[in-house]
Amino acid sequence: MKVKKAKSPLREWMESIMGAVILTAFIITFIAQSFIVEGTSMMPTLENNQRLLVDKLTYRFRDPQHGDIVVFRYPMNPKEEFIKRIIAVPGDTVAIIDGRLFVNGQLIEEDYIADKTIRGFNPQVVPEGHYFVLGDNRNNSLDSRDPRVGFVPRKNIIGRAIWSYWPLDRIGIFRAPEAFAMLNAD
């Protein structure tokens, strides 16, 4: 029977660290990543400095849906990342008239926003491969109503927020609001 010489403790330690680094890089690249909310555009749903786990895996198997909270690369500067709610998907007609949101002619009762929307949006069809996103703090949000953001290309979407883990009083899983149930039933 042969006997193998033991590795030095330093080498074992280095191999363990390298394995952990590779596994971490794989998880962050393909499965999930932590993000910190900067700003108030998603209040009252998300607050400044809230920490979230963003799922990067789901959208490899299905398309983003109405009501999902997503992190995406800002079209004007892809090094910046924004977080908003998907309101309309490719082929939908979206409008904000007299402070009320309509998707495909259906009024969306938004109980998750704090204030009535001041700025309107004329009816437009969301182009193929793009999404219409809004912040929940509609009157303080740079979102799809602004030409600098516009309709967000699918390729810019990093993933969907699935869980808040900080601060402790905001721990919870994110679900699409009931207002979007009929639109997602298709």
Side-chain angles (χ1 to χ4, degrees):
M1 180 183 273
K2 286 185 161 183
V3 179
K4 209 174 186 185
K5 184 178 176 186
K7 295 178 189 175
S8 75
L10 179 62
R11 181 173 175 177
E12 284 186 22
W13 187 76
M14 293 301 289
E15 286 177 355
S16 295
I17 289 176
M18 287 304 297
V21 167
I22 291 168
L23 180 61
T24 301
F26 176 80
I27 290 170
I28 289 172
T29 302
F30 298 107
I31 298 175
Q33 186 175 351
S34 178
F35 284 88
I36 299 173
V37 176
E38 293 180 13
T40 60
S41 72
M42 283 297 292
M43 287 187 71
T45 307
L46 303 174
E47 60 186 37
N48 190 40
N49 292 320
Q50 189 168 345
R51 285 156 173 75
L52 316 169
L53 186 65
V54 173
D55 162 28
K56 294 180 165 185
L57 192 59
T58 299
Y59 293 156
R60 295 181 188 278
F61 302 102
R62 74 160 172 87
D63 291 326
Q65 296 183 346
H66 302 93
D68 286 354
I69 297 173
V70 296
V71 172
F72 63 95
R73 285 179 219 83
Y74 176 42
M76 294 293 286
N77 180 1
K79 291 179 181 178
E80 287 185 55
E81 294 155 343
F82 281 19
I83 186 162
K84 305 290 179 202
R85 185 180 302 278
I86 291 181
I87 300 299
V89 301
D92 283 349
T93 300
V94 62
I96 300 173
I97 301 166
D98 296 328
R100 299 180 308 166
L101 175 65
F102 293 87
V103 177
N104 298 330
Q106 179 180 340
L107 174 63
I108 305 299
E109 296 291 343
E110 298 182 284
D111 59 353
Y112 53 88
I113 63 175
D115 297 315
K116 182 178 177 181
T117 305
I118 295 172
R119 193 165 132 217
F121 187 79
N122 291 327
Q124 290 188 38
V125 175
V126 179
E128 199 58 42
H130 291 75
Y131 293 83
F132 183 86
V133 298
L134 293 174
D136 288 356
N137 185 359
R138 299 288 157 74
N139 300 321
N140 186 26
S141 177
L142 177 60
D143 50 40
S144 287
R145 295 170 294 175
D146 190 295
R148 293 173 291 177
V149 175
F151 296 110
V152 176
R154 170 67 181 87
K155 67 180 182 181
N156 285 33
I157 297 176
I158 294 167
R160 71 183 174 108
I162 56 170
W163 182 55
S164 171
Y165 63 89
W166 189 265
L168 295 176
D169 66 336
R170 307 277 298 191
I171 288 177
I173 295 172
F174 296 112
R175 299 188 194 320
E178 282 298 313
F180 294 101
M182 292 298 294
L183 294 171
N184 287 331
D186 297 336

